[in-house]
Amino acid sequence: MTLSREEHLAIPESDLEGVSVDTLAVRAGQVRTGQLEHSDAIFPTSSFVYGSAAQAAARFAGDEPGNIYSRFTNPTVQAFEARIAAMEGGERGVATSSGMAAILSTCMALLKSGDHVICSRGVFGTTNVLFQKYLARFGVDTTFVSLTGFDEWQAAVRPETRLLFIETPSNPLCEVADMSALAALARGAGALFVVDNCFCTPVLQRPFEFGADIVIHSATKYLDGQGRCIGGVVVGPDNLMQEVYGFLRSAGPTMSPFNAWVFLKGLETLPIRMRAHCENALELATWLQRQPQVEQVFYAGLESHPQHQLASRQQSGFGGVLSFTVHGGKREAWSFIDATRMISITANLGDVKTTITHPGTTTHGRLSPEDKAAAGITDSLIRLSVGIESVEDLKTDLQRGLSALSD
Ligand SMILES: *Cc1c(COP(=O)(O)O)cnc(C)c1O
């Protein structure tokens, strides 16, 4: 009963050094119980018992490693944290109840009143709200700049700048940031460089290789990939993750063991799913570009994309999300969306099922007309999160949308 976590690992960490992310997705982090189960066990327990009062005291004092209470640690959650950390190539993962909880916990643990943040304008809408509305109340000021405008990043740096935050590729226009350049800027400013790697996952892009200090995920998207659970994770060096963990343990937005188990299962198929998403998205982007009803397609896999070369250096695939404009405005975009019959009309992304959305009136509907214009969110813009259905069947469904515009 007193074996350490390391002694329970199904495969010792040293045996997984240097193996590919495809193998880590299936093998890293699994802890076996005495039953020698092949699939990961799930531990839906809120607390843990001790052999004696002395052992309880030793656990609480931190003299003996081990579980106390599932807001602190839980073996299923730890397995998920270890697996995603191995895949990203980071030292430690800290799982959270949602992607937003991952971002909040990072900020609460590592920022204080008076600090300054620089954030790319095209981030997930709620991330924008978190910085602009809530963190601002606690004296953390955020400047929003263009993801690709390096001059703007340089000009925004102040002596109090402590954190640079990006998503790359961006949502929904698939702009790509030069991570090495931003990492160097952050280092020079004494700030942390944080990358939300939700769109690529470690299968397609590993931001630590380009100088990121912290990688964040909404596990809700591709890591699950099948629309079942909300969750998030922060990955980074031990010293920083100890701070994030400390906040999480005190504030409480932790991941449930059941969700961790679903995400562990999700990670096992992540590499093959990501390849299928990329293949379908590239095929559809190329096909959409040839359609007369389509004005412009935004996908970093297209050679016409302004950051195609940069994306090719940073990513091993271009991802499953693309967007495009149709000739006309909101009426035409809505007609296109409403004419599809199989594709789901929903703002979620990263699912095996293809989803379609009108960013201007959903995910980015809160933005002022000026902010929309600055972010390139036009009325005729449509976003697709391409799933893993047959690409021919997806074309058939999208053709219904195109046909609605030809009448
Ligand atoms: C969805 C999303 C989030 C927020 O994640 P939740 O799990 O919904 O809290 C953060 N960043 C990106 C890029 C997202 O797509």
Side-chain angles (χ1 to χ4, degrees), residues 97-103 123-124 126-127 165 167 169 171 196-199 216-221 229-232 348-349 383:
S97 57
S98 69
M100 290 319 304
I103 299 171
V123 289
F124 185 67
T126 315
T127 305
F165 188 99
E167 276 169 34
N171 175 16
D196 181 333
N197 200 27
C198 178
F199 270 50
I216 286 181
H217 280 282
S218 165
T220 315
K221 313 296 166 52
C229 287
I230 303 275
N348 196 20
L349 61 88
R383 188 192 73 192

PDB file of all heavy atoms in Angstrom, residues 97-103 123-124 126-127 165 167 169 171 196-199 216-221 229-232 348-349 383, ligand 1:
ATOM      1  N   SER A  97     -10.870  22.392 -14.294  1.00  0.00           N
ATOM      2  CA  SER A  97     -12.252  22.020 -14.597  1.00  0.00           C
ATOM      3  C   SER A  97     -12.705  22.474 -15.986  1.00  0.00           C
ATOM      4  O   SER A  97     -13.719  22.006 -16.488  1.00  0.00           O
ATOM      5  CB  SER A  97     -13.186  22.631 -13.540  1.00  0.00           C
ATOM      6  OG  SER A  97     -13.007  24.038 -13.522  1.00  0.00           O
ATOM      7  N   SER A  98     -11.978  23.405 -16.621  1.00  0.00           N
ATOM      8  CA  SER A  98     -12.320  23.878 -17.965  1.00  0.00           C
ATOM      9  C   SER A  98     -11.092  24.572 -18.541  1.00  0.00           C
ATOM     10  O   SER A  98     -10.124  24.834 -17.817  1.00  0.00           O
ATOM     11  CB  SER A  98     -13.494  24.873 -17.905  1.00  0.00           C
ATOM     12  OG  SER A  98     -13.073  26.070 -17.275  1.00  0.00           O
ATOM     13  N   GLY A  99     -11.169  24.881 -19.821  1.00  0.00           N
ATOM     14  CA  GLY A  99     -10.082  25.651 -20.431  1.00  0.00           C
ATOM     15  C   GLY A  99      -9.973  27.026 -19.794  1.00  0.00           C
ATOM     16  O   GLY A  99      -8.874  27.534 -19.551  1.00  0.00           O
ATOM     17  N   MET A 100     -11.123  27.654 -19.507  1.00  0.00           N
ATOM     18  CA  MET A 100     -11.089  28.972 -18.875  1.00  0.00           C
ATOM     19  C   MET A 100     -10.473  28.905 -17.481  1.00  0.00           C
ATOM     20  O   MET A 100      -9.754  29.817 -17.072  1.00  0.00           O
ATOM     21  CB  MET A 100     -12.499  29.586 -18.805  1.00  0.00           C
ATOM     22  CG  MET A 100     -13.079  30.011 -20.140  1.00  0.00           C
ATOM     23  SD  MET A 100     -11.929  30.820 -21.280  1.00  0.00           S
ATOM     24  CE  MET A 100     -11.342  32.189 -20.291  1.00  0.00           C
ATOM     25  N   ALA A 101     -10.753  27.818 -16.751  1.00  0.00           N
ATOM     26  CA  ALA A 101     -10.152  27.667 -15.418  1.00  0.00           C
ATOM     27  C   ALA A 101      -8.635  27.531 -15.536  1.00  0.00           C
ATOM     28  O   ALA A 101      -7.894  27.974 -14.643  1.00  0.00           O
ATOM     29  CB  ALA A 101     -10.746  26.460 -14.702  1.00  0.00           C
ATOM     30  N   ALA A 102      -8.164  26.944 -16.638  1.00  0.00           N
ATOM     31  CA  ALA A 102      -6.712  26.819 -16.854  1.00  0.00           C
ATOM     32  C   ALA A 102      -6.100  28.205 -17.049  1.00  0.00           C
ATOM     33  O   ALA A 102      -5.040  28.521 -16.486  1.00  0.00           O
ATOM     34  CB  ALA A 102      -6.438  25.931 -18.063  1.00  0.00           C
ATOM     35  N   ILE A 103      -6.775  29.041 -17.829  1.00  0.00           N
ATOM     36  CA  ILE A 103      -6.258  30.391 -18.087  1.00  0.00           C
ATOM     37  C   ILE A 103      -6.336  31.239 -16.817  1.00  0.00           C
ATOM     38  O   ILE A 103      -5.378  31.907 -16.425  1.00  0.00           O
ATOM     39  CB  ILE A 103      -7.022  31.043 -19.263  1.00  0.00           C
ATOM     40  CG1 ILE A 103      -6.825  30.203 -20.537  1.00  0.00           C
ATOM     41  CG2 ILE A 103      -6.553  32.480 -19.493  1.00  0.00           C
ATOM     42  CD1 ILE A 103      -7.690  30.625 -21.716  1.00  0.00           C
ATOM     43  N   VAL A 123      -7.996  36.184 -29.744  1.00  0.00           N
ATOM     44  CA  VAL A 123      -8.150  35.033 -28.839  1.00  0.00           C
ATOM     45  C   VAL A 123      -9.622  34.664 -28.644  1.00  0.00           C
ATOM     46  O   VAL A 123     -10.526  35.456 -28.945  1.00  0.00           O
ATOM     47  CB  VAL A 123      -7.519  35.274 -27.445  1.00  0.00           C
ATOM     48  CG1 VAL A 123      -6.012  35.271 -27.536  1.00  0.00           C
ATOM     49  CG2 VAL A 123      -8.052  36.541 -26.806  1.00  0.00           C
ATOM     50  N   PHE A 124      -9.830  33.473 -28.124  1.00  0.00           N
ATOM     51  CA  PHE A 124     -11.150  32.970 -27.740  1.00  0.00           C
ATOM     52  C   PHE A 124     -11.905  34.076 -26.987  1.00  0.00           C
ATOM     53  O   PHE A 124     -11.340  34.728 -26.103  1.00  0.00           O
ATOM     54  CB  PHE A 124     -10.922  31.744 -26.845  1.00  0.00           C
ATOM     55  CG  PHE A 124     -12.174  31.022 -26.450  1.00  0.00           C
ATOM     56  CD1 PHE A 124     -12.935  30.353 -27.397  1.00  0.00           C
ATOM     57  CD2 PHE A 124     -12.577  30.978 -25.117  1.00  0.00           C
ATOM     58  CE1 PHE A 124     -14.077  29.675 -27.024  1.00  0.00           C
ATOM     59  CE2 PHE A 124     -13.719  30.297 -24.746  1.00  0.00           C
ATOM     60  CZ  PHE A 124     -14.467  29.641 -25.708  1.00  0.00           C
ATOM     61  N   THR A 126     -14.093  34.415 -24.614  1.00  0.00           N
ATOM     62  CA  THR A 126     -14.167  34.460 -23.152  1.00  0.00           C
ATOM     63  C   THR A 126     -12.812  34.812 -22.543  1.00  0.00           C
ATOM     64  O   THR A 126     -12.743  35.427 -21.472  1.00  0.00           O
ATOM     65  CB  THR A 126     -14.701  33.128 -22.593  1.00  0.00           C
ATOM     66  OG1 THR A 126     -15.813  32.737 -23.381  1.00  0.00           O
ATOM     67  CG2 THR A 126     -15.147  33.258 -21.164  1.00  0.00           C
ATOM     68  N   THR A 127     -11.732  34.447 -23.212  1.00  0.00           N
ATOM     69  CA  THR A 127     -10.390  34.821 -22.745  1.00  0.00           C
ATOM     70  C   THR A 127     -10.280  36.341 -22.753  1.00  0.00           C
ATOM     71  O   THR A 127      -9.770  36.964 -21.815  1.00  0.00           O
ATOM     72  CB  THR A 127      -9.315  34.207 -23.666  1.00  0.00           C
ATOM     73  OG1 THR A 127      -9.532  32.801 -23.722  1.00  0.00           O
ATOM     74  CG2 THR A 127      -7.917  34.492 -23.168  1.00  0.00           C
ATOM     75  N   PHE A 165       0.358  36.546 -24.110  1.00  0.00           N
ATOM     76  CA  PHE A 165      -0.595  35.446 -24.284  1.00  0.00           C
ATOM     77  C   PHE A 165      -1.053  35.387 -25.743  1.00  0.00           C
ATOM     78  O   PHE A 165      -1.490  36.397 -26.295  1.00  0.00           O
ATOM     79  CB  PHE A 165      -1.804  35.679 -23.367  1.00  0.00           C
ATOM     80  CG  PHE A 165      -2.757  34.517 -23.313  1.00  0.00           C
ATOM     81  CD1 PHE A 165      -2.713  33.615 -22.255  1.00  0.00           C
ATOM     82  CD2 PHE A 165      -3.696  34.314 -24.329  1.00  0.00           C
ATOM     83  CE1 PHE A 165      -3.592  32.532 -22.203  1.00  0.00           C
ATOM     84  CE2 PHE A 165      -4.571  33.230 -24.284  1.00  0.00           C
ATOM     85  CZ  PHE A 165      -4.519  32.341 -23.213  1.00  0.00           C
ATOM     86  N   GLU A 167      -2.933  32.678 -29.034  1.00  0.00           N
ATOM     87  CA  GLU A 167      -3.421  31.433 -29.631  1.00  0.00           C
ATOM     88  C   GLU A 167      -2.871  31.427 -31.043  1.00  0.00           C
ATOM     89  O   GLU A 167      -2.996  32.432 -31.741  1.00  0.00           O
ATOM     90  CB  GLU A 167      -4.940  31.470 -29.772  1.00  0.00           C
ATOM     91  CG  GLU A 167      -5.707  31.082 -28.564  1.00  0.00           C
ATOM     92  CD  GLU A 167      -7.195  31.425 -28.742  1.00  0.00           C
ATOM     93  OE1 GLU A 167      -7.717  31.343 -29.863  1.00  0.00           O
ATOM     94  OE2 GLU A 167      -7.799  31.801 -27.735  1.00  0.00           O
ATOM     95  N   PRO A 169      -2.734  28.588 -34.503  1.00  0.00           N
ATOM     96  CA  PRO A 169      -3.399  29.573 -35.357  1.00  0.00           C
ATOM     97  C   PRO A 169      -4.597  30.197 -34.652  1.00  0.00           C
ATOM     98  O   PRO A 169      -5.154  29.618 -33.730  1.00  0.00           O
ATOM     99  CB  PRO A 169      -3.873  28.759 -36.558  1.00  0.00           C
ATOM    100  CG  PRO A 169      -3.290  27.398 -36.422  1.00  0.00           C
ATOM    101  CD  PRO A 169      -2.904  27.215 -35.009  1.00  0.00           C
ATOM    102  N   ASN A 171      -8.432  31.969 -34.188  1.00  0.00           N
ATOM    103  CA  ASN A 171      -9.818  31.599 -34.447  1.00  0.00           C
ATOM    104  C   ASN A 171     -10.583  32.879 -34.804  1.00  0.00           C
ATOM    105  O   ASN A 171     -10.549  33.821 -34.029  1.00  0.00           O
ATOM    106  CB  ASN A 171     -10.376  30.988 -33.149  1.00  0.00           C
ATOM    107  CG  ASN A 171     -11.842  30.674 -33.219  1.00  0.00           C
ATOM    108  OD1 ASN A 171     -12.427  30.623 -34.284  1.00  0.00           O
ATOM    109  ND2 ASN A 171     -12.445  30.458 -32.057  1.00  0.00           N
ATOM    110  N   ASP A 196      -1.858  29.223 -25.875  1.00  0.00           N
ATOM    111  CA  ASP A 196      -3.052  28.372 -25.855  1.00  0.00           C
ATOM    112  C   ASP A 196      -2.964  27.491 -27.104  1.00  0.00           C
ATOM    113  O   ASP A 196      -3.133  27.971 -28.222  1.00  0.00           O
ATOM    114  CB  ASP A 196      -4.299  29.275 -25.869  1.00  0.00           C
ATOM    115  CG  ASP A 196      -5.605  28.491 -25.832  1.00  0.00           C
ATOM    116  OD1 ASP A 196      -5.620  27.331 -26.290  1.00  0.00           O
ATOM    117  OD2 ASP A 196      -6.618  29.046 -25.376  1.00  0.00           O
ATOM    118  N   ASN A 197      -2.659  26.203 -26.891  1.00  0.00           N
ATOM    119  CA  ASN A 197      -2.361  25.288 -28.010  1.00  0.00           C
ATOM    120  C   ASN A 197      -3.559  24.425 -28.394  1.00  0.00           C
ATOM    121  O   ASN A 197      -3.419  23.326 -28.937  1.00  0.00           O
ATOM    122  CB  ASN A 197      -1.180  24.388 -27.615  1.00  0.00           C
ATOM    123  CG  ASN A 197      -0.480  23.764 -28.807  1.00  0.00           C
ATOM    124  OD1 ASN A 197      -0.498  24.320 -29.909  1.00  0.00           O
ATOM    125  ND2 ASN A 197       0.142  22.613 -28.598  1.00  0.00           N
ATOM    126  N   CYS A 198      -4.739  24.961 -28.099  1.00  0.00           N
ATOM    127  CA  CYS A 198      -5.984  24.223 -28.283  1.00  0.00           C
ATOM    128  C   CYS A 198      -6.211  23.787 -29.742  1.00  0.00           C
ATOM    129  O   CYS A 198      -6.651  22.677 -30.006  1.00  0.00           O
ATOM    130  CB  CYS A 198      -7.100  25.153 -27.817  1.00  0.00           C
ATOM    131  SG  CYS A 198      -8.715  24.526 -27.970  1.00  0.00           S
ATOM    132  N   PHE A 199      -5.890  24.658 -30.690  1.00  0.00           N
ATOM    133  CA  PHE A 199      -6.195  24.367 -32.100  1.00  0.00           C
ATOM    134  C   PHE A 199      -5.293  23.301 -32.695  1.00  0.00           C
ATOM    135  O   PHE A 199      -5.726  22.539 -33.549  1.00  0.00           O
ATOM    136  CB  PHE A 199      -6.095  25.655 -32.945  1.00  0.00           C
ATOM    137  CG  PHE A 199      -7.384  26.393 -33.026  1.00  0.00           C
ATOM    138  CD1 PHE A 199      -8.097  26.689 -31.879  1.00  0.00           C
ATOM    139  CD2 PHE A 199      -7.916  26.784 -34.244  1.00  0.00           C
ATOM    140  CE1 PHE A 199      -9.310  27.355 -31.932  1.00  0.00           C
ATOM    141  CE2 PHE A 199      -9.125  27.449 -34.313  1.00  0.00           C
ATOM    142  CZ  PHE A 199      -9.820  27.738 -33.161  1.00  0.00           C
ATOM    143  N   ILE A 216      -1.252  26.020 -22.616  1.00  0.00           N
ATOM    144  CA  ILE A 216      -2.591  25.857 -22.042  1.00  0.00           C
ATOM    145  C   ILE A 216      -3.484  25.136 -23.039  1.00  0.00           C
ATOM    146  O   ILE A 216      -3.325  25.298 -24.259  1.00  0.00           O
ATOM    147  CB  ILE A 216      -3.159  27.253 -21.688  1.00  0.00           C
ATOM    148  CG1 ILE A 216      -2.462  27.777 -20.429  1.00  0.00           C
ATOM    149  CG2 ILE A 216      -4.678  27.208 -21.493  1.00  0.00           C
ATOM    150  CD1 ILE A 216      -2.938  29.119 -19.964  1.00  0.00           C
ATOM    151  N   HIS A 217      -4.400  24.327 -22.508  1.00  0.00           N
ATOM    152  CA  HIS A 217      -5.385  23.665 -23.366  1.00  0.00           C
ATOM    153  C   HIS A 217      -6.784  23.786 -22.806  1.00  0.00           C
ATOM    154  O   HIS A 217      -6.973  23.655 -21.599  1.00  0.00           O
ATOM    155  CB  HIS A 217      -5.110  22.156 -23.453  1.00  0.00           C
ATOM    156  CG  HIS A 217      -4.042  21.814 -24.412  1.00  0.00           C
ATOM    157  ND1 HIS A 217      -4.247  21.779 -25.760  1.00  0.00           N
ATOM    158  CD2 HIS A 217      -2.742  21.521 -24.214  1.00  0.00           C
ATOM    159  CE1 HIS A 217      -3.122  21.478 -26.359  1.00  0.00           C
ATOM    160  NE2 HIS A 217      -2.185  21.320 -25.450  1.00  0.00           N
ATOM    161  N   SER A 218      -7.746  23.956 -23.709  1.00  0.00           N
ATOM    162  CA  SER A 218      -9.108  23.575 -23.394  1.00  0.00           C
ATOM    163  C   SER A 218      -9.202  22.122 -23.835  1.00  0.00           C
ATOM    164  O   SER A 218      -9.207  21.834 -25.029  1.00  0.00           O
ATOM    165  CB  SER A 218     -10.092  24.441 -24.180  1.00  0.00           C
ATOM    166  OG  SER A 218     -11.365  23.824 -24.114  1.00  0.00           O
ATOM    167  N   ALA A 219      -9.239  21.207 -22.866  1.00  0.00           N
ATOM    168  CA  ALA A 219      -9.319  19.773 -23.201  1.00  0.00           C
ATOM    169  C   ALA A 219     -10.668  19.428 -23.817  1.00  0.00           C
ATOM    170  O   ALA A 219     -10.837  18.372 -24.432  1.00  0.00           O
ATOM    171  CB  ALA A 219      -9.076  18.942 -21.944  1.00  0.00           C
ATOM    172  N   THR A 220     -11.618  20.342 -23.627  1.00  0.00           N
ATOM    173  CA  THR A 220     -12.974  20.197 -24.167  1.00  0.00           C
ATOM    174  C   THR A 220     -12.973  19.983 -25.682  1.00  0.00           C
ATOM    175  O   THR A 220     -13.890  19.365 -26.220  1.00  0.00           O
ATOM    176  CB  THR A 220     -13.750  21.506 -23.873  1.00  0.00           C
ATOM    177  OG1 THR A 220     -13.507  21.907 -22.526  1.00  0.00           O
ATOM    178  CG2 THR A 220     -15.234  21.332 -24.101  1.00  0.00           C
ATOM    179  N   LYS A 221     -11.968  20.511 -26.354  1.00  0.00           N
ATOM    180  CA  LYS A 221     -11.957  20.496 -27.823  1.00  0.00           C
ATOM    181  C   LYS A 221     -11.319  19.199 -28.331  1.00  0.00           C
ATOM    182  O   LYS A 221     -11.861  18.142 -28.104  1.00  0.00           O
ATOM    183  CB  LYS A 221     -11.254  21.753 -28.334  1.00  0.00           C
ATOM    184  CG  LYS A 221     -11.730  23.052 -27.652  1.00  0.00           C
ATOM    185  CD  LYS A 221     -13.191  23.374 -27.931  1.00  0.00           C
ATOM    186  CE  LYS A 221     -13.757  24.447 -27.011  1.00  0.00           C
ATOM    187  NZ  LYS A 221     -13.003  25.678 -26.928  1.00  0.00           N
ATOM    188  N   CYS A 229     -16.978  16.117 -22.499  1.00  0.00           N
ATOM    189  CA  CYS A 229     -16.594  16.695 -21.205  1.00  0.00           C
ATOM    190  C   CYS A 229     -15.965  18.076 -21.362  1.00  0.00           C
ATOM    191  O   CYS A 229     -15.339  18.364 -22.365  1.00  0.00           O
ATOM    192  CB  CYS A 229     -15.543  15.814 -20.527  1.00  0.00           C
ATOM    193  SG  CYS A 229     -16.206  14.286 -19.890  1.00  0.00           S
ATOM    194  N   ILE A 230     -16.100  18.873 -20.308  1.00  0.00           N
ATOM    195  CA  ILE A 230     -15.415  20.163 -20.217  1.00  0.00           C
ATOM    196  C   ILE A 230     -14.179  19.971 -19.330  1.00  0.00           C
ATOM    197  O   ILE A 230     -14.279  19.347 -18.265  1.00  0.00           O
ATOM    198  CB  ILE A 230     -16.345  21.219 -19.555  1.00  0.00           C
ATOM    199  CG1 ILE A 230     -17.662  21.362 -20.320  1.00  0.00           C
ATOM    200  CG2 ILE A 230     -15.634  22.551 -19.376  1.00  0.00           C
ATOM    201  CD1 ILE A 230     -17.656  22.299 -21.474  1.00  0.00           C
ATOM    202  N   GLY A 231     -13.051  20.495 -19.766  1.00  0.00           N
ATOM    203  CA  GLY A 231     -11.835  20.393 -18.953  1.00  0.00           C
ATOM    204  C   GLY A 231     -10.723  21.227 -19.542  1.00  0.00           C
ATOM    205  O   GLY A 231     -10.844  21.758 -20.651  1.00  0.00           O
ATOM    206  N   GLY A 232      -9.653  21.365 -18.777  1.00  0.00           N
ATOM    207  CA  GLY A 232      -8.506  22.133 -19.263  1.00  0.00           C
ATOM    208  C   GLY A 232      -7.238  21.658 -18.588  1.00  0.00           C
ATOM    209  O   GLY A 232      -7.278  20.837 -17.655  1.00  0.00           O
ATOM    210  N   ASN A 348     -19.216  24.972 -31.130  1.00  0.00           N
ATOM    211  CA  ASN A 348     -18.122  24.158 -30.598  1.00  0.00           C
ATOM    212  C   ASN A 348     -17.167  23.760 -31.721  1.00  0.00           C
ATOM    213  O   ASN A 348     -17.507  23.831 -32.899  1.00  0.00           O
ATOM    214  CB  ASN A 348     -18.677  22.920 -29.902  1.00  0.00           C
ATOM    215  CG  ASN A 348     -17.624  22.276 -29.003  1.00  0.00           C
ATOM    216  OD1 ASN A 348     -16.649  22.905 -28.615  1.00  0.00           O
ATOM    217  ND2 ASN A 348     -17.808  21.009 -28.702  1.00  0.00           N
ATOM    218  N   LEU A 349     -15.971  23.352 -31.366  1.00  0.00           N
ATOM    219  CA  LEU A 349     -14.993  22.945 -32.380  1.00  0.00           C
ATOM    220  C   LEU A 349     -14.145  21.811 -31.826  1.00  0.00           C
ATOM    221  O   LEU A 349     -14.176  21.502 -30.640  1.00  0.00           O
ATOM    222  CB  LEU A 349     -14.123  24.135 -32.804  1.00  0.00           C
ATOM    223  CG  LEU A 349     -13.268  24.815 -31.744  1.00  0.00           C
ATOM    224  CD1 LEU A 349     -11.900  24.165 -31.609  1.00  0.00           C
ATOM    225  CD2 LEU A 349     -13.083  26.275 -32.096  1.00  0.00           C
ATOM    226  N   ARG A 383     -17.342  29.792 -40.371  1.00  0.00           N
ATOM    227  CA  ARG A 383     -16.258  28.935 -39.861  1.00  0.00           C
ATOM    228  C   ARG A 383     -16.684  27.472 -39.868  1.00  0.00           C
ATOM    229  O   ARG A 383     -17.803  27.146 -39.460  1.00  0.00           O
ATOM    230  CB  ARG A 383     -15.875  29.320 -38.432  1.00  0.00           C
ATOM    231  CG  ARG A 383     -14.618  28.585 -37.956  1.00  0.00           C
ATOM    232  CD  ARG A 383     -14.391  28.727 -36.472  1.00  0.00           C
ATOM    233  NE  ARG A 383     -15.350  27.937 -35.708  1.00  0.00           N
ATOM    234  CZ  ARG A 383     -15.537  28.048 -34.395  1.00  0.00           C
ATOM    235  NH1 ARG A 383     -14.857  28.921 -33.708  1.00  0.00           N
ATOM    236  NH2 ARG A 383     -16.442  27.296 -33.773  1.00  0.00           N
TER     237      ARG A 383
HETATM  238  C1  LIG B   1     -12.909  26.683 -25.954  1.00  0.00           C
HETATM  239  C2  LIG B   1     -11.645  27.402 -25.823  1.00  0.00           C
HETATM  240  C3  LIG B   1     -11.206  27.877 -24.574  1.00  0.00           C
HETATM  241  C4  LIG B   1     -12.046  27.737 -23.314  1.00  0.00           C
HETATM  242  O1  LIG B   1     -12.188  26.399 -22.951  1.00  0.00           O
HETATM  243  P1  LIG B   1     -13.438  25.835 -22.093  1.00  0.00           P
HETATM  244  O2  LIG B   1     -13.070  24.417 -21.921  1.00  0.00           O
HETATM  245  O3  LIG B   1     -14.660  26.060 -22.919  1.00  0.00           O
HETATM  246  O4  LIG B   1     -13.466  26.603 -20.828  1.00  0.00           O
HETATM  247  C5  LIG B   1      -9.980  28.500 -24.500  1.00  0.00           C
HETATM  248  N1  LIG B   1      -9.225  28.667 -25.596  1.00  0.00           N
HETATM  249  C6  LIG B   1      -9.600  28.227 -26.814  1.00  0.00           C
HETATM  250  C7  LIG B   1      -8.715  28.439 -27.989  1.00  0.00           C
HETATM  251  C8  LIG B   1     -10.830  27.590 -26.977  1.00  0.00           C
HETATM  252  O5  LIG B   1     -11.211  27.178 -28.184  1.00  0.00           O
END
